[in-house]
Amino acid sequence: MLSKIATRSFSSTAANAHKVAVLGAGGGIGQPLSLLLKLNHKVTDLALYDLRGAPGVAADVSHVPTNSTVKGYNPDQLAEALTGADVIVIPAGVPRKPGMTRDDLFNTNASIVRDLAKAAAENAPNAAVLVISNPVNSTVPIVAEVFKSKGVYNPKKLFGVTTLDVLRASRFVSEIAGTNPVNEKVTVVGGHSGITIVPLLSQTNHKDLDTETRDALIHRIQFGGDEVVQAKDGAGSATLSMAQAGARFAGAVLDGLSGEKDVIEPSFVDSPLFKSEGVEFFSSKVTLGVEGVKTVHPLGELSNHEEELVKTAKETLISNIKKGVEFVKQNP
Ligand code: NAD
Ligand code: LMR
């Protein structure tokens, strides 16, 4: 009996065997994210890449007894790290310090993401690309433009990871309501920075919060990243909660690729929802399937207040997205 159970849990069918590459695996997010991905049984080949330190992280993580191989790659081995990848997760780039906005990271991170996207387009054009590097509202369009320039853009395979906003919304609402955060599901839409983050509390059991409490809660969800940046006091931004968020979202993408049904997570994707208004990317609930994005869900019924928040978010998103697109046009 024991051997049967062991055989079942360690065997990987083709649908469940996936190569996942982490670009920026030596960093504050990359290290715990790599560990959490090692624990995912759908990951059979884990490729860890960074400018420095990836072989060490790989050696360390490789001792965790799950059924996957782990290999670390140095800067001259990026193509090898990417070849055959089904999923590429990108947490490479600099994090904020107190007083900075995510947009302040653009000048440094835009070129990092552009160059990694070029390598991904050349070596793993069919992989699902999950962008963590900030500012997500601009780095996702950067990846799209690079893939378009190489003729391999597939809008179903590009995701901005906004899951940390979803985690925070669950946690923060539970603190107010005195509930178990595990049972709190809050859809968060828009983008991933400040006022572009719009939690849809009217679609939860907490639609009757008084205005002051509601506004404070929304503000905390929108600016939760700042709490961590300030507490770390110059040593970076969220890494551990982000690793959990990244592993959860990568796990959902892998579940979808493996053919599981009804896998739904919010994500910042190439979205039809507001394209007619010039918003090319928008985060909303997405059903994940074997091809990547299966369905981009509409926002559903919104309160008047949420309508206003979405309107404001769209204005900022248009300029954040344009900034990413222009960057690649001017710096191909
Ligand atoms: P970090 O500085 O600890 O780690 C970044 C890693 O990226 C480093 O190991 C660095 O060597 C590596 N790197 C830099 N350039 C690279 C390149 N060209 N190729 C490969 N690796 C490269 O930073 P962190 O705390 O891990 O944060 C990383 C990024 O994630 C930041 O931009 C941060 O703002 C962002 N972030 C996003 C979210 C989100 O919700 N999407 C949450 C937290 C942090
Ligand atoms: C977060 O939301 O924690 C991240 O985007 C990092 C940051 O800069 O706040």
Side-chain angles (χ1 to χ4, degrees):
M1 187 61 184
L2 190 62
S3 65
K4 264 194 189 156
I5 291 168
T7 309
R8 195 184 316 143
S9 60
F10 282 138
S11 71
S12 296
T13 62
N16 279 331
H18 296 101
K19 176 172 176 177
V20 177
V22 181
L23 311 184
I29 296 167
Q31 293 200 32
L33 175 60
S34 300
L35 171 63
L36 294 172
L37 290 170
K38 179 75 175 97
L39 298 174
N40 185 322
H41 290 286
K42 290 197 172 80
V43 181
T44 46
D45 184 352
L46 189 55
L48 305 184
Y49 171 82
D50 201 303
L51 297 181
R52 58 193 76 85
V57 177
D60 191 350
V61 166
S62 74
H63 291 188
V64 173
T66 52
N67 191 32
S68 47
T69 54
V70 186
K71 191 171 169 200
Y73 297 86
N74 284 316
D76 58 337
Q77 298 171 303
L78 177 55
E80 199 192 326
L82 289 167
T83 301
D86 300 293
V87 174
I88 300 166
V89 193
I90 310 184
V94 293
R96 286 196 287 160
K97 292 190 187 315
M100 293 172 80
T101 66
R102 292 181 186 80
D103 194 49
D104 293 334
L105 303 172
F106 185 92
N107 287 345
T108 308
N109 289 350
S111 51
I112 292 174
V113 171
R114 176 202 58 199
D115 294 347
L116 293 173
K118 276 186 196 170
E122 282 160 14
N123 297 288
N126 298 320
V129 180
L130 282 52
V131 185
I132 292 173
S133 318
N134 272 316
V136 166
N137 296 353
S138 303
T139 49
V140 169
I142 287 174
V143 175
E145 285 307 301
V146 169
F147 272 62
K148 280 179 197 169
S149 73
K150 303 258 179 204
V152 293
Y153 179 53
N154 178 355
K156 293 184 183 346
K157 290 279 185 84
L158 175 59
F159 304 89
V161 183
T162 57
T163 320
L164 184 51
D165 305 319
V166 177
L167 263 56
R168 286 183 179 137
S170 296
R171 178 68 211 177
F172 298 166
V173 82
S174 77
E175 287 177 17
I176 287 177
T179 51
N180 184 343
V182 172
N183 302 324
E184 294 290 355
K185 312 279 180 232
V186 186
T187 301
V188 184
V189 302
H192 177 67
S193 74
I195 56 164
T196 70
I197 298 169
V198 183
L200 302 182
L201 299 173
S202 74
Q203 297 178 3
T204 70
N205 293 331
H206 311 290
K207 50 177 155 293
D208 296 327
L209 294 173
D210 63 74
T211 307
E212 197 182 330
T213 307
R214 178 202 69 186
D215 288 351
L217 176 58
I218 291 173
H219 186 272
R220 190 171 180 215
I221 295 166
Q222 291 181 322
F223 294 91
D226 294 21
E227 284 183 22
V228 184
V229 170
Q230 276 151 24
K232 291 198 174 179
D233 197 18
S237 56
T239 54
L240 303 173
S241 50
M242 181 59 232
Q244 164 60 18
R248 168 167 146 177
F249 187 69
V253 170
L254 289 166
D255 289 347
L257 294 178
S258 304
E260 290 183 22
K261 300 273 175 270
D262 301 324
V263 183
I264 300 178
E265 284 284 344
S267 179
F268 187 69
V269 294
D270 189 322
S271 171
L273 295 188
F274 302 109
K275 250 188 217 287
S276 63
E277 298 170 49
V279 189
E280 296 287 331
F281 294 85
F282 198 86
S283 179
S284 69
K285 278 202 258 183
V286 169
T287 299
L288 298 156
V290 289
E291 309 283 344
V293 174
K294 187 171 174 210
T295 314
V296 176
H297 295 267
L299 303 190
E301 200 175 326
L302 304 184
S303 67
N304 291 341
H305 183 243
E306 287 162 356
E307 293 276 9
E308 282 305 311
L309 293 176
V310 168
K311 187 165 169 260
T312 313
K314 283 190 281 193
E315 287 160 13
T316 302
L317 282 172
I318 288 173
S319 74
N320 291 167
I321 293 164
K322 189 163 175 252
K323 189 168 177 179
V325 171
E326 289 301 318
F327 173 79
V328 179
K329 290 210 163 95
Q330 281 158 29
N331 308 275

